[in-house]
Amino acid sequence: RKCGDVSSLDMSTAVMSLGNCYRQCGELKESVRLLEEAVATMRSCYSSPHPRVASAIHLLAFAYKSSGQMEKATELFLESLEIKRKCSNVTLQSVSTTLIDVSCCYRDSGKLQESVPLLE
């Protein structure tokens, strides 16, 4: 993981995509492993809040959600949301999607009192 090395960013994007494919195929342990690696690389390459870091964290949150680890998924979705809100070039649609995903995690955890306000 060398920061500033374009190939490391390209590789982490490829690893992120592969991790998401594993998630979609139900290979959740491998998905989490790959996405954790991608997130770590993205974090080391971007010193300030960056949309690519938020996207990697968002996909990792989905992997945890798919494996039934709602608390970890919620924590990561919230982190992704915080990063997106700090980035000036992130769309309202992206922020809204993450809010919905957080709300769904709360709902799936039986925390409706926390879920509903996010959708209002």
Side-chain angles (χ1 to χ4, degrees), residues 61-111:
F62 261 121
Y64 277 108
K65 185 176 188 284
S66 296
S67 67
Q69 297 180 56
M70 295 303 163
E71 191 170 314
K72 182 68 175 176
T74 302
E75 173 188 316
L76 290 166
F77 279 130
L78 288 169
E79 182 180 355
S80 175
L81 180 63
E82 181 180 330
I83 293 169
K84 287 177 180 183
R85 285 180 167 162
K86 291 178 182 177
C87 296
S88 60
N89 58 340
V90 172
T91 66
L92 180 58
Q93 180 181 359
S94 179
V95 171
S96 298
T97 297
T98 305
L99 278 169
I100 291 167
D101 292 332
V102 172
S103 177
C104 289
C105 277
Y106 283 139
R107 179 201 64 209
D108 294 348
S109 299
K111 299 177 181 177

